[in-house]
Amino acid sequence: MSKHMVVCMNCGRRFDASRGGYYFKTSRRYMCPKCGKEHNREVKEAQADEREARTGMRQSTGAMIAKIAVGLLFVVSSFATDSVGATLTGIVIGLALVAWGMLPWWKIKKAELDAKKAEAADAAVAEAARLAEPWTCPACGADTKGDACEYCGRPRP
């Protein structure tokens, strides 16, 4: 085997690039296997953080679909067994896998719905406060409350 000795761009350790390591085309430099594994882990964590900020879930969509598919496979195949215990075990495991895949998505949707409800409630409170504050009617000069003048019926400006 030919040796291709290079220096790791991260830790400065010399290693044989033909036996492993990572090459970065943009910088034309190498990273040793130990630093490369750590770098890959950091990249995956950053992707998970970005996905969590965007969708609210750390799991990828593919992982969610795989959990649900395997769970449904367990549920469907459990009915092919002859014993009640095996059928119930398959159903429980299948439903647990489906829940494991769906719960993060349900939590996000519920949080979005709760935020919309809170926003609507805040808007209703603000509108009620606006209607409750007194104002002077420009047509008749009466001090009144609400959307229209209590005396002449003119709408609030």
Side-chain angles (χ1 to χ4, degrees), residues 8 29 38-39 41 44 49 59 62 72 95 98 104 120 146 153 155:
C8 176
R29 298 189 66 195
E38 184 176 326
H39 175 72
R41 190 185 80 241
K44 286 182 181 180
D49 290 342
Q59 73 178 354
L72 291 176
L95 292 178
V98 169

Side-chain angles (χ1 to χ4, degrees), residues 16 24-25 78 89 97 124 136 138 141 143:
D16 186 6
F24 296 94
K25 282 185 177 181
S78 69
T89 302
L97 283 168
T136 303
D143 290 330

Side-chain angles (χ1 to χ4, degrees), residues 57 59-69 97 101-102 105:
M57 297 185 304
Q59 73 178 354
S60 66
T61 306
M64 181 177 78
I65 291 171
K67 291 172 190 176
I68 294 169
L97 283 168
M102 290 296 292
W105 182 78

Side-chain angles (χ1 to χ4, degrees), residues 70-110:
V70 171
L72 291 176
L73 185 67
F74 263 91
V75 170
V76 170
S77 65
S78 69
F79 291 109
T81 61
D82 292 332
S83 66
V84 175
T87 303
L88 290 177
T89 302
I91 291 172
V92 167
I93 291 173
L95 292 178
L97 283 168
V98 169
W100 186 29
M102 290 296 292
L103 279 178
W105 182 78
W106 275 330
K107 284 182 181 179
I108 298 307
K109 293 301 177 187
K110 185 177 182 310

